[in-house]
Amino acid sequence: MYDFVVVGAGPPGSRFARRAAESGHDVVAFEKGTVGEPLACSGHVSDDVWEYVPNDAREELLQNRVYGARFHVGGPGSRAYPFYKRDPVSNVIDRVGLDRTLAECAREAGADLREDHTVVGVEERSDRVVVEVRTPADEVEEVEARMVAGCDGPTSRVRRALDLPEPDELLHGVLGFDPAPDGGDLVDVHLTAPTFFAWRIPRGDAGVEYGLAAPPSEDVAGRFDRLTDAYDATTDRRCSGAIPIGPPARTTSDRGFLIGDAAAQTKPFTGGGILYGMRAADVAAAAIDPRDPSTLADYESGWREELSTEIRLGKAIRRCYSLPEPVQRVGLRALSGEIGVHMDEPSSFFSASNLRALFSRSDPPN
């Protein structure tokens, strides 16, 4: 009888497994394949990511530093509206390496993290959960625990098994990588995808990442091809996946709870969920007592208190992506220049540092 079964060893799952194990709980975590594979998420994150990994991991994971973004209403040849800082805004990291580093941290903390184990069933009972797992030997084993943590992504099996509501929306995202090195320090954002955007991220010696996300009903693959054609880019590998937007009304059941993409704990204006998911994982580890199911309510309220303001403001930003082009141009022209915002926190738009930047515009760095 474990205290927690964790389904999924992405950043939220590994982070929760680590923190729960550090608190003295018996934790087993299952990843259906190899940790970090297949890649289905960009590795563009804020400096906050370094708080979650060992200090010596930074040099190995970091691929490039980013100082801001150029926004475009049209394609690559359209006018660019730069938003930038004098200091780095964000990092481009080895996304697969991040997952593996976080998983190793969980193991070192005492969690039993098993790769190539696929969860095929979850049953809640009055005093426990029973999880069916397919092993590398193609055998199905039953594992019992006091609680189950669903950290298994946007199409979460745990969410369905616990009969928890779906996210408000699932976008379809596509990534592609051009191996040609690019040490540029600005990301390009194109407000050309319906209700969302396309992007180009320089990754230093690791090349360039191109991406696009939009509702599944749109021709996402075709739009991605047109984006890379416009940049005259050749991508040697691609990946795609669902991006959940809008947390459901409930993310906990009698003996289960969701973290990360399974709970749609993502930024509505970018789709990124690495940091939000790990922040929620920390809330879960601090709030939930596996012997006391009533503490699940503390997690439900706790993660919403942690993230709801940023998610609400993020939804407002996303609505701007669908404004008429002339309105977008006016807004971008008025706001472009030096900024003082945090890329994960829309509320920082109202911070003293950003207000100072807004009212003391200067030329962008070379």
Side-chain angles (χ1 to χ4, degrees):
M1 172 70 76
Y2 290 92
D3 290 318
F4 294 106
V5 169
V6 180
V7 183
S14 290
R15 179 66 179 182
F16 174 77
R18 172 188 178 180
R19 294 302 302 275
E22 287 174 341
S23 296
H25 297 303
D26 292 326
V27 182
V28 62
F30 298 117
E31 173 60 37
K32 66 181 180 180
T34 300
V35 169
E37 298 178 5
L39 176 67
C41 175
S42 178
H44 182 213
V45 294
S46 72
D47 270 348
D48 290 358
V49 73
W50 305 123
E51 299 174 11
Y52 296 85
V53 300
N55 291 334
D56 59 3
R58 181 172 183 150
E59 182 176 352
E60 182 177 347
L61 295 175
L62 181 63
Q63 294 178 332
N64 198 14
R65 304 301 301 271
V66 173
Y67 286 73
R70 291 181 291 250
F71 279 78
H72 308 258
V73 174
S78 63
R79 176 177 174 176
Y81 300 88
F83 292 73
Y84 63 90
K85 282 185 176 182
R86 298 289 169 171
D87 298 317
V89 174
S90 56
N91 309 270
V92 183
I93 61 170
D94 177 351
R95 181 67 175 78
V96 173
L98 174 67
D99 282 26
R100 293 176 178 171
T101 298
L102 293 168
E104 187 58 30
C105 288
R107 288 188 174 110
E108 290 177 355
D112 179 5
L113 195 155
R114 307 180 192 177
E115 298 177 80
D116 297 314
H117 282 68
T118 303
V119 170
V120 296
V122 178
E123 179 188 353
E124 275 187 304
R125 297 180 183 173
S126 61
D127 62 343
R128 70 190 67 192
V129 291
V130 179
V131 178
E132 294 183 333
V133 185
R134 188 176 300 280
T135 71
D138 202 28
E139 298 174 347
V140 175
E141 297 180 352
E142 287 190 352
V143 177
E144 296 185 344
R146 292 181 173 85
M147 290 189 179
V148 60
C151 309
D152 50 339
T155 58
S156 170
R157 178 184 291 272
V158 175
R159 186 177 64 225
R160 297 195 303 271
L162 300 180
D163 198 26
L164 291 170
E166 299 287 319
D168 292 344
E169 179 183 10
L170 286 178
L171 299 177
H172 179 196
V174 178
L175 297 177
F177 299 88
D178 186 334
D182 189 330
D185 56 15
L186 294 175
V187 170
D188 285 283
V189 177
H190 298 273
L191 304 178
T192 52
T195 78
F196 216 66
F197 61 88
W199 62 88
R200 179 187 187 276
I201 301 175
R203 305 187 68 95
D205 290 341
V208 180
E209 173 189 318
Y210 295 89
L212 182 146
S217 58
E218 302 293 338
D219 180 15
V220 176
R223 290 178 180 276
F224 180 83
D225 288 339
R226 291 190 286 276
L227 171 73
T228 53
D229 287 347
Y231 271 108
D232 195 25
T234 301
T235 56
D236 63 352
R237 55 192 174 97
R238 289 191 188 185
C239 55
S240 66
I243 301 172
I245 303 292
R250 185 165 51 93
T251 61
T252 59
S253 63
D254 292 338
R255 288 189 171 272
F257 54 99
L258 307 177
I259 309 177
D261 281 7
Q265 292 162 338
T266 61
K267 295 182 287 185
F269 58 105
T270 69
I274 295 173
L275 271 299
Y276 280 18
M278 290 198 292
R279 286 167 66 176
D282 283 356
V283 173
I288 299 172
D289 179 351
R291 296 177 182 272
D292 183 2
S294 69
T295 58
L296 288 168
D298 298 328
Y299 166 63
E300 186 80 80
S301 60
W303 81 255
R304 292 182 191 277
E305 182 178 353
E306 175 80 11
L307 298 174
S308 63
T309 297
E310 307 304 340
I311 290 175
R312 184 174 65 254
L313 292 174
K315 288 181 179 178
I317 294 173
R318 186 183 169 198
R319 285 195 287 271
C320 297
Y321 301 164
S322 299
L323 292 173
E325 284 190 17
V327 177
Q328 289 179 334
R329 294 180 192 278
V330 170
L332 290 171
R333 185 166 58 247
L335 295 174
S336 64
E338 189 170 0
I339 57 174
V341 298
H342 188 293
M343 69 173 287
D344 293 328
E345 300 175 358
S347 61
S348 64
F349 179 84
F350 305 102
S351 66
S353 62
N354 190 54
L355 294 176
R356 283 195 301 269
L358 282 173
F359 292 107
S360 58
R361 293 299 196 194
S362 57
D363 294 331
N366 294 327

